[in-house]
Amino acid sequence: MLNTDLLINALTTLLVTIDPPGMAPIFLSLTVGMTRSQRMQVALRGTLIALGILAAFALFGESILSLLGISIGAFRIAGGLLLFVIAFEMIFEKRQERKEKTGEVAITRDHMHNIAVFPLALPLIAGPGAISATILLSGAFDGAAGRVQLLLVIIASLAILLASMAVADRLDRFLGVTGRAILTRLLGVILAALAAQFVVDGVRASFTTYAGP
């Protein structure tokens, strides 16, 4: 059965974490000198690799946590705090600066041979924030049908990201410096609220789990 509110919450969380508008200028800097066709090849390959990584955590994230003896409540608290740090960086423009530095290092070291893998797929798309958000969301999607829905949400999020990279040059010109700053801060506030909700849910789940009879 489809839970519309849960699906919207999951899509919003992943989109804000992945940040397609913010990725556009970084993607352009990573692929400078490439033709449009070459850029699309890099974007498609990087997106598919990121999809594989996030799908693996969506399917097996809870099993990994159980193996390590970590409750989903504890991970919700930790993941929520991590997402809050990312939101803080977005609001104060620290995340964009860090991502741009990551791109610059990759260009000089690898000479753009493996850009799709590093730094595009990891850590720019499927970074700690996206992985944490995916594992957190997997706890809310129960059963095989729920996991399929979560996979569809991940695919939809990455499809939007791929579209933003396809029109990165136009999107960057349209938003401009001011537009990017406003949008990044707005998304940061939304992510902060979602992160706080994850922490609240984690505390509630932990009290429920460890409360005595």
Side-chain angles (χ1 to χ4, degrees), residues 47-133:
T47 303
L48 290 175
I49 292 170
L51 174 60
I53 294 169
L54 295 180
F57 278 100
L59 295 173
F60 307 112
E62 279 196 79
S63 301
I64 295 171
L65 293 181
S66 298
L67 190 64
L68 295 174
I70 301 171
S71 70
I72 190 63
F75 192 84
R76 278 177 180 162
I77 295 171
L81 293 175
L82 175 60
L83 292 180
F84 190 83
V85 171
I86 293 172
F88 182 87
E89 290 180 340
M90 290 174 71
I91 293 170
F92 292 98
E93 288 194 326
K94 299 293 184 184
R95 192 185 187 208
Q96 193 79 2
E97 179 182 333
R98 176 167 52 80
K99 280 188 171 185
E100 287 171 357
K101 285 181 180 177
T102 303
E104 288 170 6
V105 171
I107 290 173
T108 55
R109 280 187 186 169
D110 299 332
H111 303 288
M112 303 172 70
H113 287 293
N114 296 308
I115 287 173
V117 179
F118 176 85
L120 188 57
L122 276 169
L124 294 180
I125 301 177
I131 290 172
S132 298

